[in-house]
Amino acid sequence: MPRFGLAITALALAIAAFLVVFLIVPVVTVVWVAFSNPEGGFTLSHFSGFFSLSLMRESFGNSLYVAAMAVLFSTIVAVPLAYFTVRFQFRGAILIQTLGVLPLIMPAFVGAAALQLLFGRSGSVNLLLGEWFDLNIPVMDGLNGVVFVETLHYFPFILMNLSVALNGIDTSMEEAAQNLGSSGWRLFRRIVFPLALPGYLAGASLVFIKVFDDLGTPLVLNVTNMLAPQAYLRVTSIGLEDPIGYVICFILVGFSVAAMAGSAMFLRGRDFATLQRGATSLLRRELRPWQSTLAYLWIGALLLLVLSPHLGVLLLSFSKVWSYSVLPDVYTLDNYATVFQDSTRMIWNTFVYCGAAALIDVVIGTAIAYLVLRTRLPGRQLLDHMATVALAMPGVVLGIGYLRTFRDVELPFTGTMLTSSWLIFVLAYSVRRLPYALRACTAALQQVHVSLEEAAQNLGAPRARTVWRVMVPLMMGGILAGFVTSFVTAAVEISETILLTSRESLAPMSYGIYLYMQSIAGRGPGAALGVIAVVVVALGTYASHRIVASRQAHNIARRAT
């Protein structure tokens, strides 16, 4: 075998080993414990024990209810917003869609406390409703509060995927239906939405998975009768030997995988193709003046609701006293002073952990992309599939899997246990964020023609030098975008963080926000730290878009010359 063939094989085996050790083994360990007795034999007794507990049955039903209702309400919010802004002449459509995606840059659990102050029983909205109409809406009570918060946070998944799908539909099909007498709701129900179904299902399955597995939001809202909080509470209170916690983890994994596989199976064998691509193939339809007015009023009210968590967190970060009043009674900068005095190490830890994890992701992502697209190595597609599986792995499952799998692993030359070191955060973050970097690196490599690589080799450059000096620079836009995406999503990770934090000195920013939000007295500093996290994520997201845009402009200019 040629030397480069050996190097390629060694690289593929190294990546496979990394994914097996830090992704597959922890998840398989969790599943194995759920089905094994103390002697190591197969058993289903843990599942019968799970369903014999009324709290577990209630938690199972509650998690399904919250996830299903979040998908329903996210659909109600996202579908009209996507349809109006994509299929009609709508001034400010790009701005509206941009504002609609903003909830994703704020962790759901950060906005949960602010929404309590705005929409709770004694929150700003209910105080005004009580004063004006003697009315109180319990929107933040119990499971309703979780559904409300999750809907406002995760509906952009449906909005983004559905908008892309709607943009890809040929509008002449709508016009043909209109010429045959179809219009309004019937036109949307029979023609438009069925053609955009793949985009909708992609977004809806993501919403279901994210809500079903979410740990931080229920804990901040003090709703513990759901599966993810119960898994966390049982492992932290009873211990890693509690089998019920592993049964919960298996259910979380099973439903997450089923949601992704189910959406794919539902679409299998159906044809959604059109002859022309894009909603711009024909002019977008115009709204009548009264329709446009109603649409703007509705979208304005919707965006005000959607952005209310950001407003609430910002107000809370500057408040000293905010209780039983529409707005804070006293404003202060002390919350930010407290954060920079007490939590500077957490901010630094976040940059170190997330930066290292993002670096690992782009290195592995670039390598997998090259192996898949530029080699004929047998089984190379398996690397892509293994990395992508992380999308369906709940953070609480991976966190518990790490604690169980690596509890007896000691770092060489240090005497420190892996589960008690900062390295555990880097490994966990890198594994769960790898799919984001991989997709960005794959897209970047697909835009680099293979002839450029061949030209460098024809000039005498070895394969390894060609990759480093030619391919990587040409992929740099995608690599940087993948780095930023991995970094900003890891910076607000909470499920794994809560489980893996063994002492406060190792904690990142998200853990600090969670600790502050657990205390009424500490919610001001928690909101201030949350604002800092949002700014970091927003700047990272902006940088990612700028990088991609600049690389696209550079490629266009290069082709023009």
Side-chain angles (χ1 to χ4, degrees):
M1 181 180 293
R3 186 172 57 127
F4 186 71
L6 288 173
I8 284 292
T9 303
L11 176 63
L13 290 176
I15 294 172
F18 176 85
L19 294 174
V20 167
V21 172
F22 297 111
L23 174 61
I24 306 301
V25 169
V27 174
V28 170
T29 298
V30 168
V31 174
W32 171 252
V33 175
F35 285 95
S36 63
N37 57 32
E39 291 75 33
F42 179 82
T43 182
L44 293 176
S45 61
H46 303 325
F47 287 84
S48 61
F50 171 87
F51 286 106
S52 68
L53 298 174
S54 59
L55 177 59
M56 295 299 107
R57 295 195 302 271
E58 178 187 359
S59 299
F60 181 54
N62 288 345
S63 290
L64 286 176
Y65 167 80
V66 168
M69 294 303 292
V71 171
L72 173 63
F73 286 113
S74 295
T75 300
I76 293 172
V77 172
V79 171
L81 191 59
Y83 186 63
F84 280 130
T85 55
V86 171
R87 305 302 273 176
F88 293 91
Q89 288 186 5
F90 218 88
R91 185 172 297 175
I94 295 177
L95 176 62
I96 292 170
Q97 287 209 345
T98 302
L99 292 175
V101 176
L102 279 181
L104 289 180
I105 72 171
M106 174 184 287
F109 74 96
V110 174
L115 286 174
Q116 280 183 316
L117 293 170
L118 293 176
F119 294 97
R121 285 190 175 273
S122 301
S124 303
V125 172
N126 276 319
L127 287 176
L128 292 175
L129 291 176
E131 182 179 341
W132 296 342
F133 307 107
D134 194 25
L135 184 66
N136 191 289
I137 303 177
V139 69
M140 288 298 295
D141 288 1
L143 296 177
N144 292 334
V146 181
V147 173
F148 184 61
V149 174
E150 305 281 25
T151 297
L152 293 184
H153 182 70
Y154 288 118
F155 85 89
F157 283 126
I158 296 180
L159 174 63
M160 291 187 296
N161 284 279
L162 187 59
S163 296
V164 172
L166 289 172
N167 267 313
I169 298 174
D170 178 14
T171 51
S172 64
M173 301 191 71
E174 287 184 65
E175 292 195 347
Q178 287 177 317
N179 292 335
L180 293 172
S182 182
S183 62
W185 167 247
R186 180 179 175 85
L187 173 66
F188 176 80
R189 180 173 59 88
R190 298 294 297 273
I191 303 297
V192 178
F193 188 72
L195 288 174
L197 194 59
Y200 169 76
L201 287 179
S205 61
L206 279 174
V207 173
F208 183 91
I209 291 170
K210 294 292 185 181
V211 175
F212 192 73
D213 301 337
D214 190 20
L215 173 62
T217 302
L219 288 181
V220 169
L221 295 178
N222 198 30
V223 177
T224 59
N225 54 344
M226 294 176 63
L227 287 181
Q230 280 300 313
Y232 165 73
L233 292 173
R234 292 192 72 93
V235 168
T236 54
S237 60
I238 300 177
L240 285 173
E241 302 303 325
D242 174 50
I244 301 299
Y246 294 94
V247 172
I248 297 174
C249 289
F250 174 78
I251 294 173
L252 292 174
V253 171
F255 272 85
S256 297
V257 173
M260 295 186 69
S263 62
M265 291 179 63
F266 181 81
L267 298 175
R268 185 176 300 169
R270 303 189 181 195
D271 188 6
F272 299 90
T274 57
L275 293 177
Q276 298 186 63
R277 297 291 297 170
T280 56
S281 60
L282 295 175
L283 291 177
R284 297 183 179 187
R285 300 202 302 272
E286 293 186 3
L287 290 171
R288 296 175 182 176
W290 68 270
Q291 292 175 326
S292 181
T293 301
L294 288 178
Y296 274 114
L297 288 175
W298 178 81
I299 290 175
L302 180 62
L303 290 179
L304 182 63
L305 179 64
V306 165
L307 298 177
S308 59
H310 301 73
L311 176 63
V313 168
L314 186 63
L315 288 173
L316 182 58
S317 71
F318 288 107
S319 70
K320 187 172 185 178
V321 178
W322 189 359
S323 179
Y324 297 98
S325 59
V326 176
L327 294 173
D329 301 297
V330 180
Y331 292 90
T332 182
L333 292 174
D334 290 346
N335 296 325
Y336 287 90
T338 299
V339 165
F340 286 112
Q341 179 180 347
D342 299 339
S343 305
T344 305
R345 186 172 182 84
M346 291 184 179
I347 298 174
W348 171 253
N349 288 344
T350 299
F351 279 95
V352 172
Y353 303 162
C354 299
L359 182 61
I360 292 173
D361 284 342
V362 295
V363 170
I364 296 179
T366 302
I368 293 178
Y370 188 86
L371 290 170
V372 171
L373 297 176
R374 291 292 195 266
T375 74
R376 297 182 179 180
L377 190 70
R380 60 191 182 280
Q381 292 289 347
L382 183 60
L383 294 176
D384 189 298
H385 298 330
M386 288 172 64
T388 306
V389 162
L391 282 176
M393 291 302 110
V396 65
V397 173
L398 206 58
I400 292 174
Y402 271 44
L403 292 176
R404 175 84 183 199
T405 305
F406 304 117
R407 57 182 174 178
D408 297 323
V409 176
E410 185 177 297
L411 292 176
F413 313 114
T414 64
T416 304
M417 305 303 295
L418 177 59
T419 53
S420 301
S421 72
W422 61 272
L423 188 59
I424 195 73
F425 293 98
V426 176
L427 293 170
Y429 291 165
S430 62
V431 166
R432 283 207 70 206
R433 267 64 200 174
L434 179 57
Y436 303 114
L438 175 58
R439 296 279 75 82
C441 294
T442 300
L445 184 57
Q446 286 173 333
Q447 293 180 321
V448 179
H449 200 278
V450 68
S451 62
L452 298 173
E453 183 180 358
E454 293 172 349
Q457 293 174 357
N458 291 336
L459 292 173
R463 282 286 185 91
R465 183 177 178 84
T466 299
V467 171
W468 178 250
R469 296 296 299 273
V470 177
M471 306 301 291
V472 170
L474 291 173
M475 295 172 58
M476 190 52 66
I479 291 173
L480 290 176
F483 179 92
V484 173
T485 304
S486 295
F487 180 93
V488 298
T489 52
V492 293
E493 167 63 39
I494 187 61
S495 298
E496 294 168 299
T497 301
I498 294 177
L499 284 160
L500 297 178
T501 300
S502 56
R503 57 183 185 275
E504 200 166 310
S505 61
L506 291 175
M509 217 169 18
S510 56
Y511 184 78
I513 298 171
Y514 170 74
L515 285 185
Y516 281 128
M517 290 300 184
Q518 291 295 87
S519 166
I520 297 297
R523 288 193 168 179
L529 194 56
V531 169
I532 295 172
V534 168
V535 169
V536 170
V537 173
L539 290 176
T541 305
Y542 175 77
S544 178
H545 288 305
R546 291 287 295 176
I547 289 167
V548 172
S550 65
R551 294 299 299 181
Q552 289 176 342
H554 175 73
N555 290 336
I556 293 173
R558 188 180 62 189
R559 293 191 190 101
T561 56

